[in-house]
Amino acid sequence: MCLAIPGKLVELSNENGLKMGIVDVNGSKTRACLEYVPEIQLGQYTIVHAGFALKIIDEEDAAESLKLWQELIESGAFQPDEPDREPPTFESL
Amino acid sequence: MKYIDEYRDPELARKLLDEIRRTATRHWTIMEICGGQTHSIMRNGFDQLLPDTIELVHGPGCPVCVTPLESIERALLVAARKEVIFTSFGDMLRVPGSAKDLFMVRSEGGDVRILFSPLDALQIARDNPSKEVVFFAVGFETTAPANAMAVWQAAREGIKNFSVLVSQVMVPPAMRAILSSPANRVQGFLAAGHVCAVMGYEEYEPVAREFHVPIVPTGFEPVDLLAGILKTVELLEEGRAEVVNRYGRVVSREGNLVAQKIISEVFEVTDRQWRGIGLIPGSGLSLREAYSHYDAEKKFDVSHICASESPLCMSGSVLQGVLKPDGCPAFARECTPEHPLGATMVSSEGACAAYYNYHRNFAL
Amino acid sequence: MTVLPLCPTPIMQHETVQMAHGAGGRLSQSLMQRVFMPHIHNSYLDLLDDQAKLDLPPGMVAFTTDSYVVSPIFFPGGTIGELAVNGTVNDLAVGGARPLYLSAGFIIEEGFSLAELETIVISMAEAARKAGVMIVTGDTKVVGKGQCDKLFINTSGIGIVREGVNLSCRNLHPGDSIILSGTVGDHGMAIMTSREGLSFQSRIKSDCAALSGMIAAMLDVAPAIHAMRDPTRGGVAATLNELAVSSNVGISINETTIPVKAEVRGACELLGIDPLHVANEGKLVVAVAAVDAAKVLEVMRSFAEGRDAVIIGSVVNLHPGMVVMRTAFGSQRIIDLPLGEQLPRIC
C-alpha cells in the first residue's frame, strides 16, 4: 500500500489558502500539499503520497544508518559463514 | 535518485542477506503488512534469496484488495449517475464488483476520472459547479490525511458539489484480528513504513506486548526491507517482543501530529468490512457527523447496497497470511489478472497479482 | 440614396474546421488548398486523382496501416502528425522494407483550429521528408463536436522488402543477442506527464523518430538479423513477450542493462509504473546472432536514434514463451505483458 516517493522541495506556493509546493523527483516534478509539513524549507526532501508531503526526511538519521551499514561492510562484520551461494537459476526455482 | 538509489545497492543487500542467513537459527514466519512491501519483495526476488529459515507471508495492507465488495458496488452506482463526475486513484478502476468495474461504467458513458491527489477532485468541483464531484476515498492511514484534507478544505471553502465515498481502513485492528485467529502463524511483523510515517509506532507497542510479537516499522526499498527483516529476526532470536524502528528517516514514534489532528477532526473510528476477511471492529474511519453532508453514501442514498463475495475466492486466507497465493487451487488457473476471482489478483500489489506477475511459473 | 440589399455570402475564411470542410464542396477544396497542398506535394498527390498510381521497384511489397489517436495531439518532442508518419514508417522498416509511400486519412472534430491542423500537416511533411517517404494520397472527414477527440489520423504505408532479408518475430534462436536501441519509456511518460489533471511537470520528450535509416544501415552490415520490433504500446515488456511466444523460445534480460532516463525514472517512481511497460515511439528491439551483435551495435550507435544502444540479454533454451529478468540482486523475475492501460497508482 501507499506508494510514497522522496523528492526535493523546489518551489513554494499558496493555493486556495493551502500551503503547496513543487517536489522534484529526479527531474520530474509534482505538485504537493505541504500542510502536514508546515516547517519544510526549500531544498529539503520529503516523501509524497497522493499529492501530500507526509514527512520531511530526517537527513541525519538517513546518513547515520547508511554510514553504519557501510562501516559494517568495510569492517567485514558481515561475513558469510558459507561461501557465496550461486544465485538461483531458473530451473532450480 | 537521492534517498532511493542508496537503498537499492546490491552489495549492501547481499551483505544484509548474509547477515540474515547467519542470524536465523530456526524457522521464522514474518508478515509484511503492506502490499507495497510485498510488491518490492517479489519484484526483487528476495523470496528466492532469503534463507529457507525465513518465511515471508503477505499481509492485508492493500487498500484496493480489502475495499469491500459493497463499497465497490456503491461506487459503480454513483459513478453511473448522469450528474456525477466520479474521481478515483488509478488503482480502483479495475477492481471488479459483482458484474462490472469502473472502466465498464466509463465505457457506458459514466464520467470517471483518474486523479493523483484528492485535492484535484476539489478543483474539478470548483470548475464544474453544475456537476456533483465524488471522490473514492480509499486507503490506509497513509492516505487518510490526503482524503481528510480534501473534505476539510471543501468545508472551509463551502464547496457543496463535492462528496467522498469513504472506505478508509487501519492497520492495528487488522493485526489484532490476524494475531487472534486460531489459524495464525505469524511470529513477527514488518510494519508498513508509510502508515507509520503518519501514525507513528507508539500504537504498535501494546500489540507487541499483548501478543508477544516483535514489530519493525520498515521502508520499501530493497535495503530497507532487508534491514527490517534482519531486525525482526534478531528480535525473534532474542525473544524480544518489542517495536524497533528501522525506517528512521521517515518514521518517528509519535508520527505526524498535524496529519493526525486533521484525520480525527474529519473522521471517526467505525467498524468496517474487509474484503475477503469480514467485519473487523474499530478498523475503519467514517466521516464525523459535522462532515456528513460530504458523505456520498448519504447524498446518493446508496448505503443500503449490500453484496456478497464469490465463495471460490480464498483471498481472505491469503490476506491473513494463512494461505500463500500459489497454495490456492484457483491460482493462475481459474484466477488470473485478466479474470480475477478476488481483489488480491486485481491490484498490481495484491499478493496474488505479485505472485502471478513475477513468479507464477515457479508454482505451476 | 438607396442601399441595395446584399445577399449574405457564406463565410469562406474560417479559423476552425466546419462540417462543410468535409462535405466535398468548395470548403473542402479550400481546406486542401489552404492547409494541405502548400506543405505536402509531389507528382502523385498533385494530380488530385482519387488514387495514386505507383511504380514500384522490384521485390516483395510490405504494406501496413495504423491509426493515431494520441491525446494530447501536441506533446513534448512531437505531434500526432509526426507520430503518424514515423509509426507507419517504422512498422515497414522493422520488416526489412524500405518505406516509399504513405496514405494519410484525417478525421477531424468540428471546431478544431485550422492553424493547429496546419501545424500538424507541416510536421507530417517534415517527418516524411526526413524518413524519405512520400504522402501520395489522402482523405479528410469532419465529424460533429464530441464525436472524436480533436484529430485522429490513419496512415498506411508501402515499402519494398530488401532482397535476402528475412525478418520475422518467429526467427529467434537460442543464443541470439537481444539489443535495445536506447532508453525506455520516453514517449509514454512524455504523454502521461503532459496530460491535464495529474499535476505533473517534466522535461521528458517523446522519442518519436523514424528508424528506417538506421535499420537500413544495420541490414547493410548484417543482412541476417533475425527479428526487429519497435516497442510501442505495452513497451519493451510486451515486445519481448511477443517475440518469445512467436518463436517459442525463452528470453533472458539483465535489469542493470536497461537504460532509463533520469526524469523518466523519477516519473515512473512517482506514478508507480514500470518503465518496461511504457510505450516508445523511436526505439528498436533487435534479435541477432551473437556473432553479429557487435557490428550491429556499432552501426546503431553511429545514429542519433541508436546512440544508447545496448545488449540487454539473450535468447535461451529455457522457459519457452517467457521473458525472465535477472535483477540487480541476482534473483529472477518474470517480465509479463502489462495488463491494459497504465494507471497511476497510490499503492
Side-chain angles (χ1 to χ4, degrees):
Chain A
M1 107 192 90
C2 311
L3 196 71
I5 300 300
K8 183 178 175 177
L9 184 68
V10 292
E11 247 179 79
L12 283 166
S13 61
N14 188 296
E15 286 173 40
N16 305 298
L18 293 177
K19 185 171 179 177
M20 302 289 290
I22 303 284
V23 174
D24 181 308
V25 179
N26 229 26
S28 281
K29 292 169 186 159
T30 186
R31 211 163 51 98
C33 177
L34 306 176
E35 285 289 323
Y36 296 130
V37 286
E39 71 281 24
I40 194 165
Q41 307 282 321
L42 284 175
Q44 283 188 314
Y45 280 76
T46 174
I47 59 160
V48 179
H49 170 79
F52 283 74
L54 292 181
K55 172 79 166 66
I56 300 169
I57 290 186
D58 186 333
E59 295 192 30
E60 219 166 278
D61 186 284
E64 208 170 292
S65 62
L66 273 177
K67 193 165 147 249
L68 190 72
W69 287 327
Q70 216 56 48
E71 279 171 10
L72 283 168
I73 288 182
E74 278 156 19
S75 73
F78 285 170
Q79 282 304 318
D81 289 343
E82 46 185 309
D84 275 1
R85 282 200 313 195
E86 274 296 298
T89 59
F90 193 86
E91 308 86 83
S92 71
L93 290 164
Chain B
M1 272 183 270
K2 198 171 176 193
Y3 298 118
I4 293 185
D5 290 341
E6 309 92 294
Y7 301 92
R8 292 182 185 174
D9 178 2
E11 174 75 352
L12 197 45
R14 200 174 57 83
K15 299 285 183 185
L16 285 165
L17 278 161
D18 287 339
E19 192 62 14
I20 292 167
R21 192 172 300 126
R22 221 169 47 149
T23 308
T25 62
R26 45 163 289 199
H27 183 275
W28 296 112
T29 304
I30 299 169
M31 174 180 273
E32 82 278 359
I33 291 288
C34 174
Q37 291 170 333
T38 304
H39 192 79
S40 183
I41 288 163
M42 302 304 287
R43 187 180 162 80
N44 294 304
F46 288 151
D47 55 324
Q48 303 158 34
L49 301 176
L50 283 165
D52 298 337
T53 40
I54 305 303
E55 184 186 359
L56 292 177
V57 294
H58 316 304
C62 160
V64 179
C65 303
V66 302
T67 298
L69 198 56
E70 58 199 32
S71 289
I72 307 288
E73 294 296 336
R74 290 167 193 177
L76 296 172
L77 275 177
V78 173
R81 294 174 73 109
K82 277 200 175 57
E83 76 278 24
V84 165
I85 299 174
F86 193 86
T87 58
S88 167
F89 297 124
D91 314 54
M92 295 306 293
L93 267 71
R94 262 198 286 267
V95 184
S98 328
K100 281 183 193 173
D101 60 25
L102 284 165
F103 273 124
M104 289 167 76
V105 171
R106 190 171 78 178
S107 72
E108 290 163 7
D111 191 345
V112 178
R113 304 187 192 178
I114 296 170
L115 301 182
F116 189 64
S117 162
L119 290 182
D120 296 338
L122 272 188
Q123 190 55 45
I124 294 174
R126 289 185 204 104
D127 295 343
N128 296 272
S130 63
K131 291 280 194 173
E132 280 293 334
V133 176
V134 181
F135 183 72
F136 201 176
V138 302
F140 277 82
E141 293 95 323
T142 320
T143 319
N147 292 338
M149 180 63 81
V151 174
W152 188 79
Q153 179 70 7
R156 209 169 66 143
E157 289 185 46
I159 297 175
K160 297 275 192 296
N161 63 328
F162 173 76
S163 57
V164 287
L165 198 59
V166 182
S167 191
Q168 281 280 168
V169 284
M170 295 188 293
V171 168
M175 280 171 80
R176 286 175 184 275
I178 290 163
L179 288 165
S180 305
S181 160
N184 172 53
R185 302 191 302 125
V186 179
Q187 295 164 298
F189 283 96
L190 306 182
H194 294 147
V195 165
C196 295
V198 174
M199 301 306 291
Y201 57 82
E202 197 179 346
E203 60 180 346
Y204 295 92
E205 288 166 358
V207 180
R209 273 197 304 274
E210 274 171 54
F211 294 93
H212 203 76
V213 287
I215 301 174
V216 178
T218 299
F220 295 75
E221 297 302 334
V223 166
D224 288 320
L225 274 165
L226 293 173
I229 292 168
L230 174 58
K231 182 38 82 179
T232 312
V233 173
E234 283 171 2
L235 292 171
L236 284 166
E237 289 283 342
E238 292 164 17
R240 286 159 59 200
E242 293 167 22
V243 180
V244 178
N245 185 12
R246 268 293 169 268
Y247 198 25
R249 67 186 186 278
V250 167
V251 172
S252 63
R253 184 163 183 267
E254 69 280 4
N256 187 323
L257 297 173
V258 191
Q260 289 168 25
K261 195 167 161 227
I262 295 215
I263 294 172
S264 58
E265 159 71 24
V266 173
F267 291 122
E268 63 190 1
V269 174
T270 182
D271 299 345
R272 197 161 285 280
Q273 289 282 346
W274 293 49
R275 191 169 189 167
I277 296 178
L279 187 90
I280 303 180
S283 67
L285 295 172
S286 61
L287 290 169
R288 285 189 185 278
E289 189 53 40
Y291 294 90
S292 64
H293 46 293
Y294 291 104
D295 188 342
E297 288 191 3
K298 293 194 176 120
K299 202 172 209 174
F300 300 100
D301 191 25
V302 289
S303 43
H304 60 281
I305 303 291
C306 293
S308 56
E309 292 166 41
S310 155
L312 288 174
C313 179
M314 303 174 82
S315 64
S317 304
V318 172
L319 288 168
Q320 293 173 82
V322 177
L323 181 75
K324 289 229 175 181
D326 51 8
C328 171
F331 177 76
R333 293 183 176 89
E334 292 89 350
C335 184
T336 63
E338 288 84 2
H339 300 286
L341 289 182
T344 42
M345 187 57 100
V346 177
S347 162
S348 64
E349 62 148 33
C352 296
Y355 267 61
Y356 185 90
N357 287 336
Y358 298 136
H359 299 282
R360 69 179 175 277
N361 56 301
F362 308 150
L364 293 177
Chain C
M1 187 177 99
T2 54
V3 177
L4 286 174
L6 280 176
C7 272
T9 52
I11 299 170
M12 291 297 288
Q13 292 296 328
H14 292 90
E15 297 304 315
T16 59
V17 176
Q18 305 296 305
M19 289 302 282
H21 278 123
R26 277 172 197 275
L27 272 182
S28 294
Q29 241 179 34
S30 110
L31 184 70
M32 284 304 295
Q33 284 165 357
R34 182 176 152 191
V35 175
F36 288 92
M37 291 172 68
H39 308 295
I40 304 178
H41 46 84
N42 49 62
S43 56
Y44 302 96
L45 196 64
D46 295 349
L47 296 175
L48 294 177
D49 279 329
D50 276 347
Q51 71 298 117
K53 299 178 203 68
L54 306 170
D55 285 317
L56 293 176
M60 191 181 278
V61 174
F63 180 40
T64 187
T65 189
D66 209 338
S67 298
Y68 299 84
V69 297
V70 66
S71 170
I73 53 174
F74 294 95
F75 48 83
T79 71
I80 189 172
E82 284 170 78
L83 207 58
V85 170
N86 291 335
T88 295
V89 162
N90 291 345
D91 282 349
L92 291 170
V94 295
R98 182 159 73 91
L100 295 172
Y101 304 113
L102 299 188
S103 72
F106 296 79
I107 295 171
I108 312 167
E109 186 185 20
E110 179 184 21
F112 183 60
S113 149
L114 277 170
E116 290 193 353
L117 182 61
E118 187 169 9
T119 307
I120 285 164
V121 170
I122 292 170
S123 73
M124 286 181 86
E126 177 60 15
R129 193 191 57 75
K130 272 196 205 157
V133 293
M134 278 190 258
I135 297 170
V136 292
T137 185
D139 176 56
T140 58
K141 291 283 185 301
V142 179
V143 297
K145 193 86 189 162
Q147 289 182 301
C148 89
D149 186 6
K150 289 184 178 155
L151 175 65
F152 296 161
I153 301 176
N154 171 276
T155 51
S156 297
I158 289 177
I160 297 297
V161 181
R162 287 166 77 112
E163 188 120 11
V165 162
N166 177 24
L167 290 164
S168 163
C169 56
R170 289 177 302 279
N171 283 353
L172 273 65
H173 299 298
D176 284 1
S177 296
I178 302 290
I179 302 176
L180 175 63
S181 67
T183 54
V184 297
D186 300 9
H187 176 74
M189 275 300 147
I191 296 293
M192 198 174 265
T193 55
S194 59
R195 277 194 188 139
E196 287 168 35
L198 281 178
S199 308
F200 270 96
Q201 302 169 1
S202 83
R203 288 174 309 222
I204 301 171
K205 274 189 168 172
S206 169
D207 53 351
C208 180
L211 300 169
S212 44
M214 180 172 77
I215 289 173
M218 290 160 63
L219 290 170
D220 285 345
V221 299
I225 290 174
H226 293 161
M228 290 190 222
R229 273 282 168 102
D230 51 336
T232 53
R233 276 177 305 181
V236 169
T239 296
L240 291 174
N241 271 282
E242 284 157 20
L243 291 171
V245 168
S246 299
S247 295
N248 199 34
V249 293
I251 294 179
S252 167
I253 59 173
N254 287 310
E255 183 169 35
T256 49
T257 60
I258 310 283
V260 187
K261 285 204 176 92
E263 290 182 344
V264 173
R265 249 189 92 199
C268 283
E269 292 288 343
L270 270 167
L271 294 169
I273 288 172
D274 187 338
L276 283 176
H277 287 169
V278 181
N280 311 278
E281 287 293 345
K283 292 296 174 332
L284 193 60
V285 170
V286 186
V288 58
V291 290
D292 287 338
K295 60 184 177 190
V296 170
L297 204 57
E298 192 189 331
V299 169
M300 292 174 79
R301 285 178 177 162
S302 70
F303 284 79
E305 297 83 32
R307 200 178 45 228
D308 300 322
V310 62
I311 295 175
I312 59 166
S314 58
V315 178
V316 292
N317 246 326
L318 310 162
H319 48 81
M322 235 178 231
V323 182
V324 173
M325 176 187 265
R326 180 169 289 269
T327 71
F329 305 100
S331 58
Q332 298 189 62
R333 76 166 188 263
I334 296 174
I335 299 298
D336 208 359
L337 280 172
L339 183 77
E341 197 179 339
Q342 292 299 298
L343 304 174
R345 56 192 182 92
I346 55 147
C347 63

